[in-house]
Amino acid sequence: MTDFRVGVLGLGGIGSAAVYWASRRVGGDVLGVEQFSLGHVRGGSEDHSRIIRLSYHTPGYVELAKAAYLAWEEVEVDSGEPLVLTTGGLDLAPQDAAIGLEDYRASMSAAGVQFEELDAGGVMKRWPQWRLNDDVMALFQERSGIAMASRANSTHRRLAVEHGATLMDGSEVGSIREVDGEVEMLVGGRSERVGSLIIAAGAWTAPLLAGLGFRVPLQVTLEQVVYLDPRDLLQFHPSRFPIWIWMDEPSFYGFPVFGERAVKVAWDRCEILTDPETRSFQPRSDVTDAVSGFAARYLPGAAGPVRVAKTCLYTLTPDRDFIVDRVPGTENIYAVVGAGHAFKFASLLGKILVDLALDDATDHDISPFRADRPILAEESPIRSYMV
Ligand SMILES: Cc1cc2nc3c(=O)[nH]c(=O)nc-3n(C[C@H](O)[C@H](O)[C@H](O)COP(=O)(O)OP(=O)(O)OC[C@H]3O[C@@H](n4cnc5c(N)ncnc54)[C@H](O)[C@@H]3O)c2cc1C
């Protein structure tokens, strides 16, 4: 009865990767379904750039990040297109920062990843764009850079179709159920049957999982990025300016010039709770002001007029760890939640989910991402989003 061996619900960043990796394994026996148009901007994965880095707060994430780079390299070879731009990356922390550098130091050391330690003077000597107080310390990791988000998504989808996959857009999956060891999806009133289903629905995940009897305390937040017109564009060229993360509360992060003739700066976790159906697309002036204020203080050369500001959605688990697992109580349904930091891992997570869907196994340690971990069963869990 199955129409396809593998089904993928949602063709955002991770779903697009999943249809690609599935098509590499089972050719045309893959169906990808997206409720909006391909490449739409209503979710969490569309913009010119996302940060990719090896610097993470646990050795497990560092090891996963290493594998993520390898997955992107495979797609670059298959597509003939660059998808990752290396710029180097700075983790900057003032004294008593809310997000200490210690875990990052220890995790990279444990995973054998090289990095440099710099004080404020050392940072400003190498990157004179920065204006830092003396108490700021930094870690520099040379392989950090830009994952070209929108390009990567369309490349994954293009290759999937070239390998034989069927992609349906403008098709909302209404309900999902397991029948006789298969999975039936109702897509725009039509029934589609697949052997295994991967749910990569981003901000729309919780109600779909609730429909399968699995309640998970996700929060959807409205996030915002701001592109500022710098005084001197060349100063922020990728060859002269690395990606960076300000490890304090509020936490900001940014990029060299890429995709827009402007410098991108953003506030991680503005924590504006929202709903994917009713969310606003209007950038908030208080967020734009906070971002411009940060730039004026620490990156004065970038603190020009706002060229464009964009909103986007995070889907947050209480511990900000991913969910990558079979949906509890099901046999052939798998789900992923990216917790607001998964794009760098998108291709790898797509690959892992396909291996789970086809073999119920993966080479990678995903034990921290179990769907049945205790905090996900709590009615009102304590939320810690600072990573
Ligand atoms: C502002 C911002 C900055 C970020 N910066 C970084 C960064 O620097 N580095 C990093 O690694 N990560 C970053 N992230 C996080 C990362 O982008 C996300 O974790 C990741 O892109 C989520 O991908 P996804 O596929 O889970 O979700 P999405 O891309 O949102 O895809 C979900 C898809 O499912 C579809 N869908 C949902 N329900 C249905 C249904 N019923 N039927 C059919 N289709 C459905 C949706 O329409 C959507 O297309 C950032 C996120 C934001 C918002």
Side-chain angles (χ1 to χ4, degrees), residues 221-232:
T221 61
L222 188 69
E223 302 296 326
Q224 190 167 317
V225 302
V226 181
Y227 286 86
L228 300 169
D229 252 338
R231 268 202 306 270
D232 173 0

Side-chain angles (χ1 to χ4, degrees), residues 9-15 33-36 40 43-45 50-51 171-173 200-202 204 208 223 225 253 255 312-314 338 340-344:
L9 186 167
L11 296 176
I14 305 173
V33 188
E34 168 54 48
Q35 63 185 341
F36 304 123
H40 70 89
S45 304
R50 292 281 190 257
I51 288 175
S171 305
E172 182 183 0
V173 175
W204 291 263
L208 288 165
E223 302 296 326
V225 302
Y253 60 95
F255 302 77
C312 160
L313 301 178
Y314 277 177
H341 62 110
F343 196 88
K344 63 183 77 60

Side-chain angles (χ1 to χ4, degrees), residues 208-265:
L208 288 165
L209 297 185
L212 292 164
F214 179 57
R215 293 191 183 287
V216 59
L218 302 178
Q219 277 190 338
V220 175
T221 61
L222 188 69
E223 302 296 326
Q224 190 167 317
V225 302
V226 181
Y227 286 86
L228 300 169
D229 252 338
R231 268 202 306 270
D232 173 0
L233 210 60
L234 277 182
Q235 266 206 31
F236 295 93
H237 185 276
S239 62
R240 292 187 182 182
F241 189 67
I243 64 99
W244 56 275
I245 302 176
W246 186 257
M247 314 286 273
D248 202 0
E249 189 61 16
S251 174
F252 296 90
Y253 60 95
F255 302 77
V257 173
F258 187 81
E260 303 275 353
R261 289 176 61 77
V263 175
K264 178 177 171 181
V265 180

Side-chain angles (χ1 to χ4, degrees), residues 124-170:
M124 291 189 282
K125 189 155 175 259
R126 264 166 83 175
W127 298 284
Q129 299 91 334
W130 283 101
R131 288 281 177 283
L132 300 172
N133 301 342
D134 291 347
D135 69 328
V136 172
M137 290 299 293
L139 303 180
F140 177 74
Q141 212 295 314
E142 64 182 7
R143 292 196 63 200
S144 297
I146 293 173
M148 308 176 191
S150 295
R151 178 192 289 201
N153 301 334
S154 58
T155 298
H156 273 140
R157 293 190 293 264
R158 172 176 65 78
L159 292 173
V161 171
E162 285 173 15
H163 289 297
T166 300
L167 306 186
M168 292 163 64
D169 65 353

Side-chain angles (χ1 to χ4, degrees), residues 76-192:
E76 288 181 324
V77 170
D78 197 7
S79 66
E81 284 189 58
L83 300 175
V84 170
L85 173 65
T86 304
T87 64
L90 283 168
D91 296 326
L92 300 141
Q95 196 161 22
D96 307 325
I99 311 169
L101 295 177
E102 196 33 52
D103 290 348
Y104 291 73
R105 259 192 218 102
S107 300
M108 286 195 279
S109 303
V113 170
Q114 302 289 318
F115 61 92
E116 292 172 58
E117 301 225 29
L118 298 134
D119 62 13
V123 172
M124 291 189 282
K125 189 155 175 259
R126 264 166 83 175
W127 298 284
Q129 299 91 334
W130 283 101
R131 288 281 177 283
L132 300 172
N133 301 342
D134 291 347
D135 69 328
V136 172
M137 290 299 293
L139 303 180
F140 177 74
Q141 212 295 314
E142 64 182 7
R143 292 196 63 200
S144 297
I146 293 173
M148 308 176 191
S150 295
R151 178 192 289 201
N153 301 334
S154 58
T155 298
H156 273 140
R157 293 190 293 264
R158 172 176 65 78
L159 292 173
V161 171
E162 285 173 15
H163 289 297
T166 300
L167 306 186
M168 292 163 64
D169 65 353
S171 305
E172 182 183 0
V173 175
S175 71
I176 308 165
R177 67 187 182 119
E178 290 200 298
V179 198
D180 307 330
E182 296 154 0
V183 185
E184 183 182 66
M185 296 186 278
L186 221 54
V187 185
R190 234 184 68 171
S191 158
E192 293 286 352

Side-chain angles (χ1 to χ4, degrees), residues 310 357 361:
K310 306 177 182 180

Side-chain angles (χ1 to χ4, degrees), residues 2 5-8 176-184 194-199 212 325-335 353 356-360:
T2 54
R5 176 69 187 81
V6 179
V8 177
I176 308 165
R177 67 187 182 119
E178 290 200 298
V179 198
D180 307 330
E182 296 154 0
V183 185
E184 183 182 66
V194 296
S196 301
L197 178 67
I198 295 167
I199 300 177
L212 292 164
D325 201 357
R326 186 183 327 156
V327 177
T330 73
E331 287 187 20
N332 300 300
I333 305 179
Y334 299 83
L353 288 155
L356 291 175
L358 292 172
D359 317 322
D360 204 24

